[in-house]
Amino acid sequence: MTDEKKLFRAIHSKSKEEPEATFQYIYIKYKPLITFVIAQYIKNISDIEDITQETFISFFNNVENVHTSIKSYLTMSCKNMALNFLKKNKNITYVDMEEFSLLCENATFDNLANDRFIDLINDMKRIISEEDINIILLHLIADLKFEQIALKLGQNVKTIKTRYYRALKKYKKIKGAE
């Protein structure tokens, strides 16, 4: 049984099997992803943290109505909250990779997987360009399609695909040689 199914069972079970522990696990597991997705739209770190908190509060208040995967629900929810925030404040800005790295370094992540994620990003920076890292993260972490990434970055879809696959190939080749 996958972690996702176990979480759904724990959340939706009639017996109270420590729901706080389940919610804490969800928060720790998905906070870096949610922070990253929001950081793609909003530049101010305090706003990013606020929207991250609002996303989890909304999830925990509506958990009975969640029937998709937790990851997809949270990413869509935080994306919509970030876009609503931008509409409300009319501040369209993006976070560059240096600011994202600072955000990751300043955050206190208790999960080993989050440390590996940060190490992977830093490792990738030594091998491929920040623009290519951004494309990879948008595709793999934010679950955006190549068409969405191309629209967001103002580039051709074929260019985005080429850069994505070349960057992965280059990273794997260099890491395989080490």
Side-chain angles (χ1 to χ4, degrees), residues 23 26-32 34-35 50-62 70 74 77 81:
F23 290 141
I26 291 170
Y27 180 78
I28 290 170
K29 181 176 181 180
Y30 292 110
K31 183 181 180 211
I34 301 309
T35 302
D50 290 343
I51 295 171
T52 300
Q53 295 298 323
E54 288 176 28
T55 300
F56 282 103
I57 290 169
S58 172
F59 171 74
F60 296 141
N61 288 336
N62 298 313
I70 295 171
L74 286 172
S77 178
M81 286 186 180

mmCIF file with all atom_site columns, all heavy atoms in Angstrom, residues 23 26-32 34-35 50-62 70 74 77 81:
data_model
loop_
_atom_site.group_PDB
_atom_site.id
_atom_site.type_symbol
_atom_site.label_atom_id
_atom_site.label_alt_id
_atom_site.label_comp_id
_atom_site.label_asym_id
_atom_site.label_entity_id
_atom_site.label_seq_id
_atom_site.pdbx_PDB_ins_code
_atom_site.Cartn_x
_atom_site.Cartn_y
_atom_site.Cartn_z
_atom_site.occupancy
_atom_site.B_iso_or_equiv
_atom_site.pdbx_formal_charge
_atom_site.auth_seq_id
_atom_site.auth_comp_id
_atom_site.auth_asym_id
_atom_site.auth_atom_id
_atom_site.pdbx_PDB_model_num
ATOM 1   N N   . PHE A 1 23 ? -1.343  14.724 10.067 1.00 0.00 ? 23 PHE A N   1
ATOM 2   C CA  . PHE A 1 23 ? -1.287  16.058 9.470  1.00 0.00 ? 23 PHE A CA  1
ATOM 3   C C   . PHE A 1 23 ? 0.123   16.639 9.549  1.00 0.00 ? 23 PHE A C   1
ATOM 4   O O   . PHE A 1 23 ? 0.578   17.294 8.618  1.00 0.00 ? 23 PHE A O   1
ATOM 5   C CB  . PHE A 1 23 ? -2.286  16.989 10.149 1.00 0.00 ? 23 PHE A CB  1
ATOM 6   C CG  . PHE A 1 23 ? -3.713  16.642 9.833  1.00 0.00 ? 23 PHE A CG  1
ATOM 7   C CD1 . PHE A 1 23 ? -4.687  16.725 10.805 1.00 0.00 ? 23 PHE A CD1 1
ATOM 8   C CD2 . PHE A 1 23 ? -4.097  16.232 8.572  1.00 0.00 ? 23 PHE A CD2 1
ATOM 9   C CE1 . PHE A 1 23 ? -6.001  16.409 10.520 1.00 0.00 ? 23 PHE A CE1 1
ATOM 10  C CE2 . PHE A 1 23 ? -5.410  15.913 8.278  1.00 0.00 ? 23 PHE A CE2 1
ATOM 11  C CZ  . PHE A 1 23 ? -6.359  16.005 9.259  1.00 0.00 ? 23 PHE A CZ  1
ATOM 12  N N   . ILE A 1 26 ? 2.124   15.078 6.754  1.00 0.00 ? 26 ILE A N   1
ATOM 13  C CA  . ILE A 1 26 ? 1.763   15.683 5.463  1.00 0.00 ? 26 ILE A CA  1
ATOM 14  C C   . ILE A 1 26 ? 2.425   17.051 5.326  1.00 0.00 ? 26 ILE A C   1
ATOM 15  O O   . ILE A 1 26 ? 2.990   17.385 4.290  1.00 0.00 ? 26 ILE A O   1
ATOM 16  C CB  . ILE A 1 26 ? 0.230   15.793 5.311  1.00 0.00 ? 26 ILE A CB  1
ATOM 17  C CG1 . ILE A 1 26 ? -0.376  14.400 5.176  1.00 0.00 ? 26 ILE A CG1 1
ATOM 18  C CG2 . ILE A 1 26 ? -0.149  16.664 4.115  1.00 0.00 ? 26 ILE A CG2 1
ATOM 19  C CD1 . ILE A 1 26 ? -1.881  14.376 5.265  1.00 0.00 ? 26 ILE A CD1 1
ATOM 20  N N   . TYR A 1 27 ? 2.372   17.827 6.383  1.00 0.00 ? 27 TYR A N   1
ATOM 21  C CA  . TYR A 1 27 ? 2.958   19.168 6.359  1.00 0.00 ? 27 TYR A CA  1
ATOM 22  C C   . TYR A 1 27 ? 4.462   19.097 6.100  1.00 0.00 ? 27 TYR A C   1
ATOM 23  O O   . TYR A 1 27 ? 4.991   19.785 5.230  1.00 0.00 ? 27 TYR A O   1
ATOM 24  C CB  . TYR A 1 27 ? 2.671   19.885 7.679  1.00 0.00 ? 27 TYR A CB  1
ATOM 25  C CG  . TYR A 1 27 ? 3.235   21.281 7.737  1.00 0.00 ? 27 TYR A CG  1
ATOM 26  C CD1 . TYR A 1 27 ? 2.591   22.330 7.097  1.00 0.00 ? 27 TYR A CD1 1
ATOM 27  C CD2 . TYR A 1 27 ? 4.417   21.547 8.415  1.00 0.00 ? 27 TYR A CD2 1
ATOM 28  C CE1 . TYR A 1 27 ? 3.102   23.614 7.133  1.00 0.00 ? 27 TYR A CE1 1
ATOM 29  C CE2 . TYR A 1 27 ? 4.935   22.821 8.464  1.00 0.00 ? 27 TYR A CE2 1
ATOM 30  C CZ  . TYR A 1 27 ? 4.279   23.850 7.821  1.00 0.00 ? 27 TYR A CZ  1
ATOM 31  O OH  . TYR A 1 27 ? 4.791   25.107 7.855  1.00 0.00 ? 27 TYR A OH  1
ATOM 32  N N   . ILE A 1 28 ? 5.151   18.240 6.824  1.00 0.00 ? 28 ILE A N   1
ATOM 33  C CA  . ILE A 1 28 ? 6.603   18.120 6.676  1.00 0.00 ? 28 ILE A CA  1
ATOM 34  C C   . ILE A 1 28 ? 6.968   17.593 5.285  1.00 0.00 ? 28 ILE A C   1
ATOM 35  O O   . ILE A 1 28 ? 7.905   18.061 4.654  1.00 0.00 ? 28 ILE A O   1
ATOM 36  C CB  . ILE A 1 28 ? 7.190   17.218 7.782  1.00 0.00 ? 28 ILE A CB  1
ATOM 37  C CG1 . ILE A 1 28 ? 7.104   17.939 9.122  1.00 0.00 ? 28 ILE A CG1 1
ATOM 38  C CG2 . ILE A 1 28 ? 8.630   16.830 7.477  1.00 0.00 ? 28 ILE A CG2 1
ATOM 39  C CD1 . ILE A 1 28 ? 7.419   17.063 10.315 1.00 0.00 ? 28 ILE A CD1 1
ATOM 40  N N   . LYS A 1 29 ? 6.194   16.632 4.801  1.00 0.00 ? 29 LYS A N   1
ATOM 41  C CA  . LYS A 1 29 ? 6.500   16.025 3.507  1.00 0.00 ? 29 LYS A CA  1
ATOM 42  C C   . LYS A 1 29 ? 6.295   16.989 2.341  1.00 0.00 ? 29 LYS A C   1
ATOM 43  O O   . LYS A 1 29 ? 7.095   17.018 1.406  1.00 0.00 ? 29 LYS A O   1
ATOM 44  C CB  . LYS A 1 29 ? 5.632   14.777 3.301  1.00 0.00 ? 29 LYS A CB  1
ATOM 45  C CG  . LYS A 1 29 ? 5.909   14.065 1.998  1.00 0.00 ? 29 LYS A CG  1
ATOM 46  C CD  . LYS A 1 29 ? 5.115   12.797 1.862  1.00 0.00 ? 29 LYS A CD  1
ATOM 47  C CE  . LYS A 1 29 ? 5.450   12.102 0.549  1.00 0.00 ? 29 LYS A CE  1
ATOM 48  N NZ  . LYS A 1 29 ? 4.719   10.868 0.373  1.00 0.00 ? 29 LYS A NZ  1
ATOM 49  N N   . TYR A 1 30 ? 5.217   17.762 2.369  1.00 0.00 ? 30 TYR A N   1
ATOM 50  C CA  . TYR A 1 30 ? 4.855   18.568 1.200  1.00 0.00 ? 30 TYR A CA  1
ATOM 51  C C   . TYR A 1 30 ? 5.198   20.054 1.307  1.00 0.00 ? 30 TYR A C   1
ATOM 52  O O   . TYR A 1 30 ? 5.046   20.783 0.337  1.00 0.00 ? 30 TYR A O   1
ATOM 53  C CB  . TYR A 1 30 ? 3.366   18.410 0.896  1.00 0.00 ? 30 TYR A CB  1
ATOM 54  C CG  . TYR A 1 30 ? 3.020   17.021 0.410  1.00 0.00 ? 30 TYR A CG  1
ATOM 55  C CD1 . TYR A 1 30 ? 2.293   16.146 1.207  1.00 0.00 ? 30 TYR A CD1 1
ATOM 56  C CD2 . TYR A 1 30 ? 3.434   16.581 -0.840 1.00 0.00 ? 30 TYR A CD2 1
ATOM 57  C CE1 . TYR A 1 30 ? 1.987   14.869 0.768  1.00 0.00 ? 30 TYR A CE1 1
ATOM 58  C CE2 . TYR A 1 30 ? 3.131   15.309 -1.286 1.00 0.00 ? 30 TYR A CE2 1
ATOM 59  C CZ  . TYR A 1 30 ? 2.411   14.458 -0.486 1.00 0.00 ? 30 TYR A CZ  1
ATOM 60  O OH  . TYR A 1 30 ? 2.111   13.200 -0.917 1.00 0.00 ? 30 TYR A OH  1
ATOM 61  N N   . LYS A 1 31 ? 5.676   20.518 2.438  1.00 0.00 ? 31 LYS A N   1
ATOM 62  C CA  . LYS A 1 31 ? 5.971   21.946 2.582  1.00 0.00 ? 31 LYS A CA  1
ATOM 63  C C   . LYS A 1 31 ? 7.002   22.449 1.561  1.00 0.00 ? 31 LYS A C   1
ATOM 64  O O   . LYS A 1 31 ? 6.790   23.497 0.948  1.00 0.00 ? 31 LYS A O   1
ATOM 65  C CB  . LYS A 1 31 ? 6.430   22.272 3.994  1.00 0.00 ? 31 LYS A CB  1
ATOM 66  C CG  . LYS A 1 31 ? 6.666   23.762 4.172  1.00 0.00 ? 31 LYS A CG  1
ATOM 67  C CD  . LYS A 1 31 ? 7.149   24.111 5.546  1.00 0.00 ? 31 LYS A CD  1
ATOM 68  C CE  . LYS A 1 31 ? 7.345   25.628 5.606  1.00 0.00 ? 31 LYS A CE  1
ATOM 69  N NZ  . LYS A 1 31 ? 8.397   25.991 6.489  1.00 0.00 ? 31 LYS A NZ  1
ATOM 70  N N   . PRO A 1 32 ? 8.104   21.730 1.331  1.00 0.00 ? 32 PRO A N   1
ATOM 71  C CA  . PRO A 1 32 ? 9.068   22.229 0.332  1.00 0.00 ? 32 PRO A CA  1
ATOM 72  C C   . PRO A 1 32 ? 8.472   22.346 -1.073 1.00 0.00 ? 32 PRO A C   1
ATOM 73  O O   . PRO A 1 32 ? 8.730   23.315 -1.775 1.00 0.00 ? 32 PRO A O   1
ATOM 74  C CB  . PRO A 1 32 ? 10.194  21.193 0.353  1.00 0.00 ? 32 PRO A CB  1
ATOM 75  C CG  . PRO A 1 32 ? 10.042  20.476 1.633  1.00 0.00 ? 32 PRO A CG  1
ATOM 76  C CD  . PRO A 1 32 ? 8.598   20.531 1.998  1.00 0.00 ? 32 PRO A CD  1
ATOM 77  N N   . ILE A 1 34 ? 5.257   22.782 -1.884 1.00 0.00 ? 34 ILE A N   1
ATOM 78  C CA  . ILE A 1 34 ? 4.289   23.879 -1.888 1.00 0.00 ? 34 ILE A CA  1
ATOM 79  C C   . ILE A 1 34 ? 5.016   25.226 -1.911 1.00 0.00 ? 34 ILE A C   1
ATOM 80  O O   . ILE A 1 34 ? 4.653   26.137 -2.657 1.00 0.00 ? 34 ILE A O   1
ATOM 81  C CB  . ILE A 1 34 ? 3.341   23.766 -0.679 1.00 0.00 ? 34 ILE A CB  1
ATOM 82  C CG1 . ILE A 1 34 ? 2.585   22.437 -0.695 1.00 0.00 ? 34 ILE A CG1 1
ATOM 83  C CG2 . ILE A 1 34 ? 2.388   24.943 -0.599 1.00 0.00 ? 34 ILE A CG2 1
ATOM 84  C CD1 . ILE A 1 34 ? 1.897   22.109 -1.987 1.00 0.00 ? 34 ILE A CD1 1
ATOM 85  N N   . THR A 1 35 ? 6.066   25.339 -1.112 1.00 0.00 ? 35 THR A N   1
ATOM 86  C CA  . THR A 1 35 ? 6.856   26.573 -1.082 1.00 0.00 ? 35 THR A CA  1
ATOM 87  C C   . THR A 1 35 ? 7.456   26.850 -2.459 1.00 0.00 ? 35 THR A C   1
ATOM 88  O O   . THR A 1 35 ? 7.431   27.985 -2.933 1.00 0.00 ? 35 THR A O   1
ATOM 89  C CB  . THR A 1 35 ? 7.966   26.462 -0.025 1.00 0.00 ? 35 THR A CB  1
ATOM 90  O OG1 . THR A 1 35 ? 7.374   26.194 1.243  1.00 0.00 ? 35 THR A OG1 1
ATOM 91  C CG2 . THR A 1 35 ? 8.773   27.742 0.066  1.00 0.00 ? 35 THR A CG2 1
ATOM 92  N N   . ASP A 1 50 ? 3.089   32.882 4.097  1.00 0.00 ? 50 ASP A N   1
ATOM 93  C CA  . ASP A 1 50 ? 1.669   33.047 4.420  1.00 0.00 ? 50 ASP A CA  1
ATOM 94  C C   . ASP A 1 50 ? 0.788   32.172 3.530  1.00 0.00 ? 50 ASP A C   1
ATOM 95  O O   . ASP A 1 50 ? -0.132  31.505 4.016  1.00 0.00 ? 50 ASP A O   1
ATOM 96  C CB  . ASP A 1 50 ? 1.245   34.513 4.267  1.00 0.00 ? 50 ASP A CB  1
ATOM 97  C CG  . ASP A 1 50 ? 1.829   35.407 5.338  1.00 0.00 ? 50 ASP A CG  1
ATOM 98  O OD1 . ASP A 1 50 ? 2.298   34.884 6.381  1.00 0.00 ? 50 ASP A OD1 1
ATOM 99  O OD2 . ASP A 1 50 ? 1.817   36.639 5.142  1.00 0.00 ? 50 ASP A OD2 1
ATOM 100 N N   . ILE A 1 51 ? 1.054   32.178 2.244  1.00 0.00 ? 51 ILE A N   1
ATOM 101 C CA  . ILE A 1 51 ? 0.246   31.388 1.318  1.00 0.00 ? 51 ILE A CA  1
ATOM 102 C C   . ILE A 1 51 ? 0.469   29.894 1.553  1.00 0.00 ? 51 ILE A C   1
ATOM 103 O O   . ILE A 1 51 ? -0.476  29.105 1.448  1.00 0.00 ? 51 ILE A O   1
ATOM 104 C CB  . ILE A 1 51 ? 0.537   31.788 -0.141 1.00 0.00 ? 51 ILE A CB  1
ATOM 105 C CG1 . ILE A 1 51 ? 0.079   33.242 -0.366 1.00 0.00 ? 51 ILE A CG1 1
ATOM 106 C CG2 . ILE A 1 51 ? -0.167  30.859 -1.121 1.00 0.00 ? 51 ILE A CG2 1
ATOM 107 C CD1 . ILE A 1 51 ? 0.486   33.834 -1.682 1.00 0.00 ? 51 ILE A CD1 1
ATOM 108 N N   . THR A 1 52 ? 1.686   29.511 1.917  1.00 0.00 ? 52 THR A N   1
ATOM 109 C CA  . THR A 1 52 ? 1.951   28.113 2.256  1.00 0.00 ? 52 THR A CA  1
ATOM 110 C C   . THR A 1 52 ? 1.091   27.692 3.441  1.00 0.00 ? 52 THR A C   1
ATOM 111 O O   . THR A 1 52 ? 0.444   26.636 3.418  1.00 0.00 ? 52 THR A O   1
ATOM 112 C CB  . THR A 1 52 ? 3.453   27.904 2.584  1.00 0.00 ? 52 THR A CB  1
ATOM 113 O OG1 . THR A 1 52 ? 4.231   28.272 1.450  1.00 0.00 ? 52 THR A OG1 1
ATOM 114 C CG2 . THR A 1 52 ? 3.735   26.462 2.964  1.00 0.00 ? 52 THR A CG2 1
ATOM 115 N N   . GLN A 1 53 ? 1.053   28.532 4.462  1.00 0.00 ? 53 GLN A N   1
ATOM 116 C CA  . GLN A 1 53 ? 0.241   28.227 5.642  1.00 0.00 ? 53 GLN A CA  1
ATOM 117 C C   . GLN A 1 53 ? -1.246  28.157 5.282  1.00 0.00 ? 53 GLN A C   1
ATOM 118 O O   . GLN A 1 53 ? -1.953  27.251 5.712  1.00 0.00 ? 53 GLN A O   1
ATOM 119 C CB  . GLN A 1 53 ? 0.450   29.287 6.732  1.00 0.00 ? 53 GLN A CB  1
ATOM 120 C CG  . GLN A 1 53 ? 1.849   29.325 7.301  1.00 0.00 ? 53 GLN A CG  1
ATOM 121 C CD  . GLN A 1 53 ? 2.244   28.033 7.979  1.00 0.00 ? 53 GLN A CD  1
ATOM 122 O OE1 . GLN A 1 53 ? 1.437   27.380 8.620  1.00 0.00 ? 53 GLN A OE1 1
ATOM 123 N NE2 . GLN A 1 53 ? 3.490   27.645 7.835  1.00 0.00 ? 53 GLN A NE2 1
ATOM 124 N N   . GLU A 1 54 ? -1.708  29.108 4.477  1.00 0.00 ? 54 GLU A N   1
ATOM 125 C CA  . GLU A 1 54 ? -3.109  29.112 4.055  1.00 0.00 ? 54 GLU A CA  1
ATOM 126 C C   . GLU A 1 54 ? -3.459  27.850 3.260  1.00 0.00 ? 54 GLU A C   1
ATOM 127 O O   . GLU A 1 54 ? -4.563  27.320 3.400  1.00 0.00 ? 54 GLU A O   1
ATOM 128 C CB  . GLU A 1 54 ? -3.397  30.344 3.199  1.00 0.00 ? 54 GLU A CB  1
ATOM 129 C CG  . GLU A 1 54 ? -3.429  31.638 3.970  1.00 0.00 ? 54 GLU A CG  1
ATOM 130 C CD  . GLU A 1 54 ? -3.615  32.846 3.064  1.00 0.00 ? 54 GLU A CD  1
ATOM 131 O OE1 . GLU A 1 54 ? -4.226  32.687 1.980  1.00 0.00 ? 54 GLU A OE1 1
ATOM 132 O OE2 . GLU A 1 54 ? -3.146  33.927 3.441  1.00 0.00 ? 54 GLU A OE2 1
ATOM 133 N N   . THR A 1 55 ? -2.531  27.382 2.443  1.00 0.00 ? 55 THR A N   1
ATOM 134 C CA  . THR A 1 55 ? -2.761  26.168 1.660  1.00 0.00 ? 55 THR A CA  1
ATOM 135 C C   . THR A 1 55 ? -2.986  24.972 2.572  1.00 0.00 ? 55 THR A C   1
ATOM 136 O O   . THR A 1 55 ? -3.934  24.204 2.371  1.00 0.00 ? 55 THR A O   1
ATOM 137 C CB  . THR A 1 55 ? -1.565  25.891 0.722  1.00 0.00 ? 55 THR A CB  1
ATOM 138 O OG1 . THR A 1 55 ? -1.401  27.003 -0.155 1.00 0.00 ? 55 THR A OG1 1
ATOM 139 C CG2 . THR A 1 55 ? -1.783  24.622 -0.082 1.00 0.00 ? 55 THR A CG2 1
ATOM 140 N N   . PHE A 1 56 ? -2.146  24.829 3.565  1.00 0.00 ? 56 PHE A N   1
ATOM 141 C CA  . PHE A 1 56 ? -2.292  23.691 4.474  1.00 0.00 ? 56 PHE A CA  1
ATOM 142 C C   . PHE A 1 56 ? -3.529  23.826 5.351  1.00 0.00 ? 56 PHE A C   1
ATOM 143 O O   . PHE A 1 56 ? -4.219  22.838 5.614  1.00 0.00 ? 56 PHE A O   1
ATOM 144 C CB  . PHE A 1 56 ? -1.035  23.507 5.324  1.00 0.00 ? 56 PHE A CB  1
ATOM 145 C CG  . PHE A 1 56 ? 0.071   22.841 4.567  1.00 0.00 ? 56 PHE A CG  1
ATOM 146 C CD1 . PHE A 1 56 ? 1.133   23.577 4.077  1.00 0.00 ? 56 PHE A CD1 1
ATOM 147 C CD2 . PHE A 1 56 ? 0.031   21.477 4.308  1.00 0.00 ? 56 PHE A CD2 1
ATOM 148 C CE1 . PHE A 1 56 ? 2.145   22.962 3.360  1.00 0.00 ? 56 PHE A CE1 1
ATOM 149 C CE2 . PHE A 1 56 ? 1.044   20.853 3.590  1.00 0.00 ? 56 PHE A CE2 1
ATOM 150 C CZ  . PHE A 1 56 ? 2.099   21.601 3.112  1.00 0.00 ? 56 PHE A CZ  1
ATOM 151 N N   . ILE A 1 57 ? -3.845  25.026 5.775  1.00 0.00 ? 57 ILE A N   1
ATOM 152 C CA  . ILE A 1 57 ? -5.070  25.234 6.566  1.00 0.00 ? 57 ILE A CA  1
ATOM 153 C C   . ILE A 1 57 ? -6.290  24.856 5.734  1.00 0.00 ? 57 ILE A C   1
ATOM 154 O O   . ILE A 1 57 ? -7.194  24.162 6.210  1.00 0.00 ? 57 ILE A O   1
ATOM 155 C CB  . ILE A 1 57 ? -5.156  26.694 7.067  1.00 0.00 ? 57 ILE A CB  1
ATOM 156 C CG1 . ILE A 1 57 ? -4.088  26.932 8.132  1.00 0.00 ? 57 ILE A CG1 1
ATOM 157 C CG2 . ILE A 1 57 ? -6.542  27.003 7.609  1.00 0.00 ? 57 ILE A CG2 1
ATOM 158 C CD1 . ILE A 1 57 ? -3.905  28.391 8.518  1.00 0.00 ? 57 ILE A CD1 1
ATOM 159 N N   . SER A 1 58 ? -6.298  25.301 4.489  1.00 0.00 ? 58 SER A N   1
ATOM 160 C CA  . SER A 1 58 ? -7.406  24.961 3.593  1.00 0.00 ? 58 SER A CA  1
ATOM 161 C C   . SER A 1 58 ? -7.500  23.449 3.393  1.00 0.00 ? 58 SER A C   1
ATOM 162 O O   . SER A 1 58 ? -8.594  22.881 3.419  1.00 0.00 ? 58 SER A O   1
ATOM 163 C CB  . SER A 1 58 ? -7.205  25.656 2.247  1.00 0.00 ? 58 SER A CB  1
ATOM 164 O OG  . SER A 1 58 ? -8.144  25.199 1.320  1.00 0.00 ? 58 SER A OG  1
ATOM 165 N N   . PHE A 1 59 ? -6.360  22.808 3.196  1.00 0.00 ? 59 PHE A N   1
ATOM 166 C CA  . PHE A 1 59 ? -6.355  21.347 3.022  1.00 0.00 ? 59 PHE A CA  1
ATOM 167 C C   . PHE A 1 59 ? -6.902  20.644 4.255  1.00 0.00 ? 59 PHE A C   1
ATOM 168 O O   . PHE A 1 59 ? -7.758  19.770 4.156  1.00 0.00 ? 59 PHE A O   1
ATOM 169 C CB  . PHE A 1 59 ? -4.930  20.858 2.728  1.00 0.00 ? 59 PHE A CB  1
ATOM 170 C CG  . PHE A 1 59 ? -4.805  19.365 2.750  1.00 0.00 ? 59 PHE A CG  1
ATOM 171 C CD1 . PHE A 1 59 ? -5.304  18.592 1.712  1.00 0.00 ? 59 PHE A CD1 1
ATOM 172 C CD2 . PHE A 1 59 ? -4.214  18.722 3.826  1.00 0.00 ? 59 PHE A CD2 1
ATOM 173 C CE1 . PHE A 1 59 ? -5.194  17.215 1.727  1.00 0.00 ? 59 PHE A CE1 1
ATOM 174 C CE2 . PHE A 1 59 ? -4.103  17.339 3.857  1.00 0.00 ? 59 PHE A CE2 1
ATOM 175 C CZ  . PHE A 1 59 ? -4.594  16.585 2.809  1.00 0.00 ? 59 PHE A CZ  1
ATOM 176 N N   . PHE A 1 60 ? -6.429  21.040 5.428  1.00 0.00 ? 60 PHE A N   1
ATOM 177 C CA  . PHE A 1 60 ? -6.852  20.363 6.654  1.00 0.00 ? 60 PHE A CA  1
ATOM 178 C C   . PHE A 1 60 ? -8.325  20.622 6.964  1.00 0.00 ? 60 PHE A C   1
ATOM 179 O O   . PHE A 1 60 ? -9.004  19.763 7.512  1.00 0.00 ? 60 PHE A O   1
ATOM 180 C CB  . PHE A 1 60 ? -5.977  20.767 7.831  1.00 0.00 ? 60 PHE A CB  1
ATOM 181 C CG  . PHE A 1 60 ? -4.533  20.340 7.659  1.00 0.00 ? 60 PHE A CG  1
ATOM 182 C CD1 . PHE A 1 60 ? -3.507  21.157 8.047  1.00 0.00 ? 60 PHE A CD1 1
ATOM 183 C CD2 . PHE A 1 60 ? -4.209  19.122 7.087  1.00 0.00 ? 60 PHE A CD2 1
ATOM 184 C CE1 . PHE A 1 60 ? -2.183  20.771 7.896  1.00 0.00 ? 60 PHE A CE1 1
ATOM 185 C CE2 . PHE A 1 60 ? -2.896  18.719 6.918  1.00 0.00 ? 60 PHE A CE2 1
ATOM 186 C CZ  . PHE A 1 60 ? -1.875  19.552 7.323  1.00 0.00 ? 60 PHE A CZ  1
ATOM 187 N N   . ASN A 1 61 ? -8.830  21.790 6.584  1.00 0.00 ? 61 ASN A N   1
ATOM 188 C CA  . ASN A 1 61 ? -10.251 22.084 6.794  1.00 0.00 ? 61 ASN A CA  1
ATOM 189 C C   . ASN A 1 61 ? -11.152 21.342 5.808  1.00 0.00 ? 61 ASN A C   1
ATOM 190 O O   . ASN A 1 61 ? -12.319 21.086 6.104  1.00 0.00 ? 61 ASN A O   1
ATOM 191 C CB  . ASN A 1 61 ? -10.511 23.586 6.696  1.00 0.00 ? 61 ASN A CB  1
ATOM 192 C CG  . ASN A 1 61 ? -9.964  24.334 7.887  1.00 0.00 ? 61 ASN A CG  1
ATOM 193 O OD1 . ASN A 1 61 ? -9.791  23.775 8.971  1.00 0.00 ? 61 ASN A OD1 1
ATOM 194 N ND2 . ASN A 1 61 ? -9.672  25.606 7.692  1.00 0.00 ? 61 ASN A ND2 1
ATOM 195 N N   . ASN A 1 62 ? -10.633 21.021 4.627  1.00 0.00 ? 62 ASN A N   1
ATOM 196 C CA  . ASN A 1 62 ? -11.437 20.378 3.585  1.00 0.00 ? 62 ASN A CA  1
ATOM 197 C C   . ASN A 1 62 ? -10.982 18.961 3.287  1.00 0.00 ? 62 ASN A C   1
ATOM 198 O O   . ASN A 1 62 ? -11.266 18.434 2.216  1.00 0.00 ? 62 ASN A O   1
ATOM 199 C CB  . ASN A 1 62 ? -11.371 21.206 2.296  1.00 0.00 ? 62 ASN A CB  1
ATOM 200 C CG  . ASN A 1 62 ? -11.943 22.581 2.486  1.00 0.00 ? 62 ASN A CG  1
ATOM 201 O OD1 . ASN A 1 62 ? -13.016 22.725 3.040  1.00 0.00 ? 62 ASN A OD1 1
ATOM 202 N ND2 . ASN A 1 62 ? -11.211 23.584 2.058  1.00 0.00 ? 62 ASN A ND2 1
ATOM 203 N N   . ILE A 1 70 ? -3.018  13.687 -2.603 1.00 0.00 ? 70 ILE A N   1
ATOM 204 C CA  . ILE A 1 70 ? -2.729  14.815 -1.710 1.00 0.00 ? 70 ILE A CA  1
ATOM 205 C C   . ILE A 1 70 ? -1.790  15.793 -2.404 1.00 0.00 ? 70 ILE A C   1
ATOM 206 O O   . ILE A 1 70 ? -1.991  17.008 -2.345 1.00 0.00 ? 70 ILE A O   1
ATOM 207 C CB  . ILE A 1 70 ? -2.142  14.309 -0.382 1.00 0.00 ? 70 ILE A CB  1
ATOM 208 C CG1 . ILE A 1 70 ? -3.192  13.485 0.370  1.00 0.00 ? 70 ILE A CG1 1
ATOM 209 C CG2 . ILE A 1 70 ? -1.642  15.457 0.478  1.00 0.00 ? 70 ILE A CG2 1
ATOM 210 C CD1 . ILE A 1 70 ? -2.670  12.754 1.587  1.00 0.00 ? 70 ILE A CD1 1
ATOM 211 N N   . LEU A 1 74 ? -2.753  19.680 -3.150 1.00 0.00 ? 74 LEU A N   1
ATOM 212 C CA  . LEU A 1 74 ? -1.984  20.763 -2.537 1.00 0.00 ? 74 LEU A CA  1
ATOM 213 C C   . LEU A 1 74 ? -1.332  21.660 -3.584 1.00 0.00 ? 74 LEU A C   1
ATOM 214 O O   . LEU A 1 74 ? -1.349  22.893 -3.441 1.00 0.00 ? 74 LEU A O   1
ATOM 215 C CB  . LEU A 1 74 ? -0.918  20.186 -1.600 1.00 0.00 ? 74 LEU A CB  1
ATOM 216 C CG  . LEU A 1 74 ? -1.426  19.627 -0.281 1.00 0.00 ? 74 LEU A CG  1
ATOM 217 C CD1 . LEU A 1 74 ? -0.300  18.902 0.458  1.00 0.00 ? 74 LEU A CD1 1
ATOM 218 C CD2 . LEU A 1 74 ? -2.017  20.713 0.595  1.00 0.00 ? 74 LEU A CD2 1
ATOM 219 N N   . SER A 1 77 ? -4.032  23.754 -5.259 1.00 0.00 ? 77 SER A N   1
ATOM 220 C CA  . SER A 1 77 ? -4.558  24.704 -4.291 1.00 0.00 ? 77 SER A CA  1
ATOM 221 C C   . SER A 1 77 ? -3.586  25.867 -4.071 1.00 0.00 ? 77 SER A C   1
ATOM 222 O O   . SER A 1 77 ? -3.989  27.036 -4.096 1.00 0.00 ? 77 SER A O   1
ATOM 223 C CB  . SER A 1 77 ? -4.837  23.983 -2.971 1.00 0.00 ? 77 SER A CB  1
ATOM 224 O OG  . SER A 1 77 ? -5.308  24.875 -2.000 1.00 0.00 ? 77 SER A OG  1
ATOM 225 N N   . MET A 1 81 ? -4.096  29.784 -4.995 1.00 0.00 ? 81 MET A N   1
ATOM 226 C CA  . MET A 1 81 ? -3.977  30.817 -3.956 1.00 0.00 ? 81 MET A CA  1
ATOM 227 C C   . MET A 1 81 ? -2.944  31.867 -4.344 1.00 0.00 ? 81 MET A C   1
ATOM 228 O O   . MET A 1 81 ? -3.145  33.056 -4.098 1.00 0.00 ? 81 MET A O   1
ATOM 229 C CB  . MET A 1 81 ? -3.624  30.188 -2.614 1.00 0.00 ? 81 MET A CB  1
ATOM 230 C CG  . MET A 1 81 ? -4.776  29.476 -1.969 1.00 0.00 ? 81 MET A CG  1
ATOM 231 S SD  . MET A 1 81 ? -4.304  28.919 -0.330 1.00 0.00 ? 81 MET A SD  1
ATOM 232 C CE  . MET A 1 81 ? -5.822  28.129 0.175  1.00 0.00 ? 81 MET A CE  1
#
